[in-house]
Amino acid sequence: MTKEEILTQLKAGQLTVDAASKLLAEQEQTRKGSLYCKVSPKGAMSLYGLQRMPVTLYVDPMGAAVEFPPTS
């Protein structure tokens, strides 16, 4: 369940505040130590979990990285 779904259910009264807090905490805990990404409205992709700070690729550099030929 996404954060938005949890908040929507809380707003609709389908979840209690305690249950929503627990679900949000579990969701945050699964992110820690795992690799995940977010895409901004402008198309930049931020990759979390590789290092302390996220690695962000913008559209032009991302295209260059995808087209980069592998070397042996």
Side-chain angles (χ1 to χ4, degrees):
M1 188 177 331
T2 67
K3 180 179 179 180
E4 290 79 20
E5 291 171 335
I6 294 169
L7 295 175
T8 300
Q9 287 187 7
L10 177 63
K11 187 177 179 181
Q14 297 171 344
L15 288 174
T16 64
V17 173
D18 291 335
S21 297
K22 183 178 175 184
L23 288 170
L24 289 171
E26 287 174 3
Q27 184 183 38
E28 241 351 93
Q29 193 65 23
T30 57
R31 284 189 172 178
K32 291 183 180 179
S34 64
L35 193 63
Y36 65 98
C37 69
K38 291 183 182 179
V39 178
S40 75
K42 293 184 178 182
M45 183 181 77
S46 295
L47 191 58
Y48 294 81
L50 288 177
Q51 56 190 26
R52 186 170 160 249
M53 300 294 290
V55 175
T56 303
L57 292 175
Y58 297 92
V59 177
D60 292 336
M62 193 180 326
V66 170
E67 294 172 6
F68 186 76
T71 58
S72 310

